[in-house]
Amino acid sequence: MADSLFNLGIHYQDTQVYQPSLVLFERSQKLYRQIGDWKKVGDCFNCKAITYYYISDFSKAVVAFEDGAEIFKKIHYKKGVASTLNNVGNIYNSQGNYAKALAYFQQATLIFKEIGDIENWAAATNNVGLIYGKVKDYSNAMKYFTQAYAVFKKENKQERIAQTQDAIGNIYVKLGKYDKAFQSFNESLQIADRRQDKQLQIMALNSLGDLFNEQSAYARALPYYTRCLTYANQIGSLHSQAEAQIAIGTIMYRLGKSKDAVKKCRNGLQLAEKVGSVSMKKRGCDCLYQSYKAFGNTGQALYYFEQANTLEDSLNLSETANRVMNIEFQKQQLVDSIAYVQKEHIIQLKHKEEVERQEKQRNMSILSLGFILLVAVGLWAQLNYVKKSRAALKVEKDRSEALLLNILPEEIAEELKEKGHVDARVFNLVSILFTDFKSFTQTAEQMSPQSLVEEIHTCFKAFDLIVEKYQIEKIKTIGDAFMAVGGLSYTDDRSLKNIVLAGLEMQEFMVKRAVEKRVEGYPAFEMRLGIHTGPIVAGIVGVKKFQYDVWGDTVNTASRMESSGMVGKVNISETLYEFIKQEECFSFEYRGQVHAKGKGKMGMYFVKKSNVVQLVA
């Protein structure tokens, strides 16, 4: 029964019918657990993860791959471990974390080679080539693609040949060798058509459309995108549908068919919003702006122009994160070269020392007496200096470590001291808190500069104590705004619950403070506060006055939660609500779909304490 369900799930996955395949893998996995077939349990995790990857649910894919890897390690199944490493590398590649992706792919190639699995070794080698292509090292990329292609050709693995030819074609496009790119893409499409594999067909057709679009041959690009859209509709791939719709709409605009362009790009933008792709939404808004502008609808053109600018900000944040991770990749690539140079330098030094040794021996007897005297004087002076400075050095060391811990989370500070740098990290689930004082400028005008600074210091000092109490990390203050993150040092339900408790306590402090100030006859600040949860990238940027910071669309959304909130309230996103709605210590007030700048309508909730709670340890 378990085998039948599993094989049927594979069939649905191969034919791109993804939701039923997930159900079948889940049912077969339960049966395999009952009979103790742990290899098959791991296979089910792997298959579920691959399906999540195909439908772009990357966070669930990573979790499923990690669960499968644990099973394979326990039963010492090396091929399963290597496959999982390769697949996790694909996830990091799709997220733009090339340094981590390369590390996972290289580990996979070593294990596949060790166990003699040549086909999968070639697949992982092909993935290594993809990473080199992403960082524009085209010669290395082509070297790895060629190695993989030779294996696939020898083994007559048609699907793998198609994928590798598509990758080679993309390198030729980057190098401006369009004829060779067309040959590679066309071979990939012929294989896809013979196999009637919709995923391969979509890949090849999209690449051919991009090739002619790159050359401004819009009439030649259009049929490829149109056919790509047909196959995407057949298998229900929202990501591919959105890409094709926006590509067709953009070509319609360039061909002077602005009304047709509006229809296609609007459809593509709606799909991109469902998928959550910021870059696709940006392309859709650009297309609608140009198309509406072309036939004189300035109102709609202005609206989509503003939307495109907002999305551009999000893309710039992502690009910043990618540059940080790309720096880490380049550093990793230099390691081997640096090690080689160091080795050569050591050899040269040894040779030089051997040549100079005999000459030094001649002079040694002459210098011995003076050297001994000099060393004695130096040792006495050094001992005296050490005794005087040891205490001072300890004080300075303690002061430096305290300052570092005041700037960075403890785990990050330890990594910085140990390695001299900090690797950028992806966190799949953290919570972001933003605060902002309402009517800050008007209230500040009623206060002297000294009293203004003292009042802000009093508020932010209280916030610092609150975030320390609830084990969340303060990131920065910008003017009258305060930002903190939960889930960096530990990620579970405690971090989500604690950041909401912290937000409620901050609002309690501000309300009480406002009452006290007004009784005394002084102006007082009122505060909005918003929280959202999701994935981010975190790392250190800068050399002088460096800063630990976080990036990602989650940060933008959390900021919108704050600006869409109300004074004295804690406003949370519907995403965070789904995680904490079972917590008995909170009560919630649904606000409905509230418009958020740059995000459209979003579900929001006000949260408050339902009874007295204890700090979650």
Side-chain angles (χ1 to χ4, degrees), residues 407-409 411-413 415 422-425 427 473-476 483 485 488-489 536-542 545-551:
I407 298 172
L408 302 174
E411 182 182 354
I412 301 302
E415 183 179 353
V422 175
D423 295 330
R425 299 184 182 181
F427 293 87
E473 296 288 346
K474 172 184 175 182
I475 298 299
K476 59 186 172 183
M483 177 185 177
V485 179
L488 292 178
S489 57
I536 61 159
V537 173
I540 291 180
V541 293
K545 296 184 180 180
F546 61 81
Q547 180 177 351
Y548 184 75
D549 210 342
V550 298
W551 302 270

XYZ file of all heavy atoms in Angstrom, residues 407-409 411-413 415 422-425 427 473-476 483 485 488-489 536-542 545-551:
273
model
N 26.943 46.537 21.058
C 26.643 46.837 19.647
C 26.036 45.643 18.941
O 25.124 45.784 18.121
C 27.938 47.269 18.911
C 28.494 48.554 19.533
C 27.688 47.477 17.425
C 29.856 48.940 19.011
N 26.518 44.416 19.253
C 26.155 43.223 18.489
C 25.530 42.184 19.406
O 25.809 42.145 20.604
C 27.407 42.615 17.838
C 28.214 43.508 16.897
C 29.466 42.783 16.476
C 27.386 43.901 15.685
N 24.668 41.287 18.844
C 24.218 40.116 19.595
C 25.424 39.281 20.032
O 26.457 39.242 19.353
C 23.352 39.356 18.584
C 22.926 40.381 17.605
C 24.055 41.365 17.527
N 26.146 36.074 20.078
C 26.624 35.055 19.133
C 27.407 35.690 18.004
O 28.449 35.184 17.577
C 25.419 34.285 18.583
C 25.806 33.161 17.625
C 24.583 32.449 17.075
O 23.459 32.756 17.533
O 24.761 31.583 16.212
N 26.932 36.854 17.512
C 27.610 37.552 16.410
C 28.947 38.118 16.902
O 29.960 38.058 16.198
C 26.710 38.669 15.861
C 25.376 38.087 15.364
C 27.410 39.420 14.746
C 25.523 37.035 14.307
N 28.961 38.669 18.121
C 30.204 39.216 18.671
C 31.265 38.133 18.809
O 32.436 38.349 18.502
C 29.919 39.868 20.016
N 31.507 35.370 17.041
C 31.979 35.001 15.698
C 32.956 36.041 15.163
O 33.967 35.707 14.534
C 30.783 34.871 14.749
C 31.188 34.426 13.338
C 29.999 34.268 12.399
O 28.848 34.367 12.869
O 30.231 34.043 11.202
N 32.060 38.391 9.974
C 30.791 37.715 10.275
C 30.119 37.339 8.962
O 29.975 38.172 8.066
C 29.852 38.627 11.099
C 28.500 37.947 11.303
C 30.480 38.946 12.439
N 29.752 36.063 8.829
C 29.057 35.608 7.630
C 27.619 36.132 7.624
O 26.934 36.144 8.659
C 29.007 34.074 7.584
C 30.394 33.460 7.438
O 31.248 34.128 6.832
O 30.594 32.340 7.922
N 27.165 36.566 6.456
C 25.744 36.918 6.321
C 24.895 35.665 6.510
O 25.288 34.573 6.112
C 25.481 37.534 4.945
N 23.738 35.813 7.133
C 22.898 34.666 7.435
C 21.465 34.911 6.971
O 20.988 36.046 6.983
C 22.879 34.374 8.938
C 24.253 34.049 9.511
C 24.151 33.683 10.976
N 25.470 33.426 11.552
C 25.671 33.073 12.808
N 24.646 32.898 13.620
N 26.902 32.872 13.271
N 17.646 33.984 7.912
C 16.747 33.498 8.957
C 15.365 33.321 8.338
O 14.785 34.272 7.804
C 16.674 34.482 10.123
C 17.956 34.605 10.895
C 18.943 35.504 10.506
C 18.197 33.827 12.014
C 20.123 35.628 11.200
C 19.380 33.943 12.725
C 20.347 34.835 12.318
N 16.500 41.407 20.215
C 17.664 42.228 19.885
C 17.245 43.590 19.338
O 16.465 43.687 18.393
C 18.537 41.526 18.828
C 19.153 40.225 19.292
C 20.260 40.436 20.300
O 20.733 41.590 20.434
O 20.650 39.448 20.952
N 17.767 44.649 19.970
C 17.610 45.982 19.388
C 18.554 46.098 18.194
O 19.734 45.764 18.293
C 17.954 47.034 20.436
C 18.018 48.464 19.883
C 18.461 49.408 20.976
C 18.663 50.828 20.447
N 19.140 51.749 21.515
N 18.023 46.563 17.069
C 18.847 46.723 15.861
C 19.364 48.152 15.737
O 20.558 48.389 15.571
C 18.063 46.321 14.601
C 17.673 44.846 14.674
C 18.887 46.569 13.346
C 18.834 43.883 14.764
N 18.463 49.128 15.843
C 18.906 50.516 15.681
C 17.779 51.467 16.043
O 16.615 51.069 16.179
C 19.354 50.776 14.233
C 18.272 50.521 13.193
C 18.843 50.670 11.798
C 17.817 50.233 10.732
N 18.370 50.296 9.393
N 13.778 50.088 16.337
C 13.604 48.821 15.626
C 14.253 47.701 16.428
O 15.371 47.829 16.908
C 14.245 48.902 14.238
C 14.185 47.612 13.443
S 15.098 47.792 11.899
C 14.947 46.150 11.219
N 14.395 43.034 16.759
C 14.129 41.765 16.070
C 14.101 40.635 17.095
O 14.969 40.541 17.958
C 15.217 41.459 15.017
C 14.931 40.132 14.342
C 15.286 42.566 13.992
N 16.594 35.963 16.529
C 17.957 35.848 16.013
C 18.781 34.858 16.833
O 19.532 34.060 16.287
C 18.647 37.220 16.033
C 18.094 38.268 15.056
C 18.835 39.577 15.234
C 18.189 37.797 13.618
N 18.648 34.912 18.169
C 19.430 34.014 19.018
C 18.744 32.675 19.229
O 19.378 31.667 19.463
C 19.701 34.679 20.370
O 18.475 35.049 20.988
N 14.350 36.958 6.718
C 15.227 38.110 6.534
C 16.641 37.626 6.226
O 16.961 36.458 6.385
C 15.281 39.017 7.783
C 15.832 38.237 8.984
C 13.936 39.641 8.101
C 16.384 39.084 10.091
N 17.481 38.561 5.811
C 18.928 38.365 5.733
C 19.554 39.294 6.759
O 19.162 40.463 6.867
C 19.463 38.689 4.328
C 20.988 38.639 4.313
C 18.908 37.711 3.310
N 20.537 38.804 7.542
C 21.180 39.613 8.573
C 22.689 39.565 8.387
O 23.243 38.556 7.965
C 20.805 39.104 9.971
N 23.354 40.674 8.693
C 24.800 40.708 8.578
C 25.356 42.051 9.007
O 24.611 42.961 9.373
N 26.682 42.170 8.946
C 27.363 43.410 9.309
C 27.794 44.122 8.034
O 28.346 43.508 7.130
C 28.592 43.116 10.197
C 28.124 42.624 11.569
C 29.451 44.357 10.364
C 29.248 42.304 12.513
N 27.518 45.423 7.955
C 27.946 46.224 6.812
C 28.815 47.369 7.315
O 28.639 47.880 8.423
C 26.733 46.773 6.030
C 25.975 45.649 5.363
C 25.793 47.555 6.930
N 29.758 47.782 6.469
C 30.620 48.893 6.812
C 31.918 48.443 7.448
O 32.073 47.300 7.874
N 32.534 52.470 12.019
C 31.204 52.543 12.636
C 30.275 51.506 12.027
O 29.153 51.796 11.613
C 30.603 53.943 12.480
C 31.394 55.021 13.194
C 30.713 56.387 13.093
C 31.521 57.439 13.825
N 30.889 58.780 13.744
N 30.781 50.261 11.915
C 29.990 49.198 11.296
C 28.706 48.966 12.079
O 28.599 49.297 13.252
C 30.804 47.908 11.191
C 31.247 47.351 12.511
C 30.392 46.593 13.292
C 32.531 47.586 12.966
C 30.802 46.075 14.495
C 32.951 47.069 14.177
C 32.073 46.311 14.948
N 27.741 48.359 11.396
C 26.420 48.149 12.004
C 25.891 46.775 11.649
O 26.009 46.325 10.508
C 25.443 49.224 11.521
C 24.037 49.077 12.110
C 23.126 50.210 11.668
O 23.564 51.168 11.072
N 21.855 50.087 11.959
N 25.342 46.106 12.643
C 24.614 44.846 12.411
C 23.194 45.220 11.997
O 22.490 45.942 12.695
C 24.602 44.007 13.681
C 23.946 42.650 13.515
C 24.600 41.626 12.843
C 22.683 42.391 14.017
C 24.024 40.383 12.694
C 22.093 41.153 13.871
C 22.767 40.156 13.210
O 22.184 38.925 13.062
N 22.764 44.749 10.831
C 21.455 45.159 10.314
C 20.767 43.986 9.652
O 21.362 42.916 9.456
C 21.629 46.303 9.301
C 20.415 47.237 9.284
O 19.338 46.821 9.767
O 20.560 48.359 8.781
N 19.498 44.161 9.316
C 18.692 43.128 8.664
C 18.034 43.726 7.430
O 17.744 44.921 7.390
C 17.615 42.545 9.618
C 18.264 41.873 10.804
C 16.649 43.614 10.088
N 17.774 42.859 6.429
C 17.167 43.298 5.180
C 16.106 42.293 4.737
O 16.116 41.128 5.123
C 18.214 43.417 4.060
C 19.331 44.344 4.350
C 19.419 45.658 4.091
C 20.597 43.998 4.969
N 20.622 46.166 4.504
C 21.369 45.176 5.054
C 21.119 42.822 5.480
C 22.643 45.208 5.585
C 22.387 42.841 6.020
C 23.133 44.022 6.070
